[in-house]
Amino acid sequence: MTIDAIPAEPQFEVADSHAALFHALAEPTRLALLQHLSTGEHRVRDLVEHMHLAQSTVSKHLSCLRDCGLVTARTEGRASWFALTDLPRLSDLLEAADDLLDTSGTTLSLKNHRDHENLEDGGL
């Protein structure tokens, strides 16, 4: 008895923009910046002090987040103020990620994930 495979249609579309967005969200420092920005608008200088990172590092991460549309910037004098573009939707996205992880029953840690990547790349 043979079973003919019935081709199924994809249930969602995937775009390069999705990869860019999830790339931005894949960096722990950027997630920490987003979390801090959820408290309100901040200057780069404030973020540097809060994150204990170099100004160039914070600016690089903010640029990535801004390119993905996750944060906005406004200029006031010589200062740039950064804010989340859409806090409710970002919160919904992170909540959906929690739900997906809960449903899968998988417990993830960044350390274990990085260890797994090193093994796949042939590292120890």
Side-chain angles (χ1 to χ4, degrees), residues 73-94:
R74 69 175 180 84
T75 303
E76 185 178 286
R78 292 178 49 200
S80 293
W81 290 81
F82 287 84
L84 295 178
T85 303
D86 191 338
L87 175 58
R89 286 192 180 160
L90 180 59
S91 295
D92 289 347
L93 177 62
L94 294 172

Side-chain angles (χ1 to χ4, degrees), residues 21 26 32 34 54 62 66 71 76 78 81-82 85-86 109 114:
L21 174 65
L34 291 171
L62 287 170
R66 194 158 93 174
V71 300
E76 185 178 286
R78 292 178 49 200
W81 290 81
F82 287 84
T85 303
D86 191 338
S109 79
R114 287 185 176 149

Side-chain angles (χ1 to χ4, degrees), residues 53-68:
L53 295 170
Q55 185 272 329
S56 60
T57 301
V58 171
S59 292
K60 178 186 76 163
H61 287 305
L62 287 170
S63 177
C64 175
L65 295 170
R66 194 158 93 174
D67 289 348
C68 290

Side-chain angles (χ1 to χ4, degrees), residues 7-36:
E9 292 294 319
Q11 298 300 302
F12 54 87
E13 295 293 320
V14 177
D16 285 347
S17 58
H18 295 137
L21 174 65
F22 287 113
H23 170 79
L25 294 172
E27 169 55 49
T29 301
R30 288 193 284 269
L31 286 173
L33 282 167
L34 291 171
Q35 182 181 40
H36 191 61

Side-chain angles (χ1 to χ4, degrees), residues 2 16 19 23 31 35 51 54 63 66 85 95 98 108 111-112 116:
T2 61
D16 285 347
H23 170 79
L31 286 173
Q35 182 181 40
M51 301 292 295
S63 177
R66 194 158 93 174
T85 303
E95 187 176 319
D98 285 337
L108 297 177
K111 181 194 179 311
N112 290 343
H116 178 72

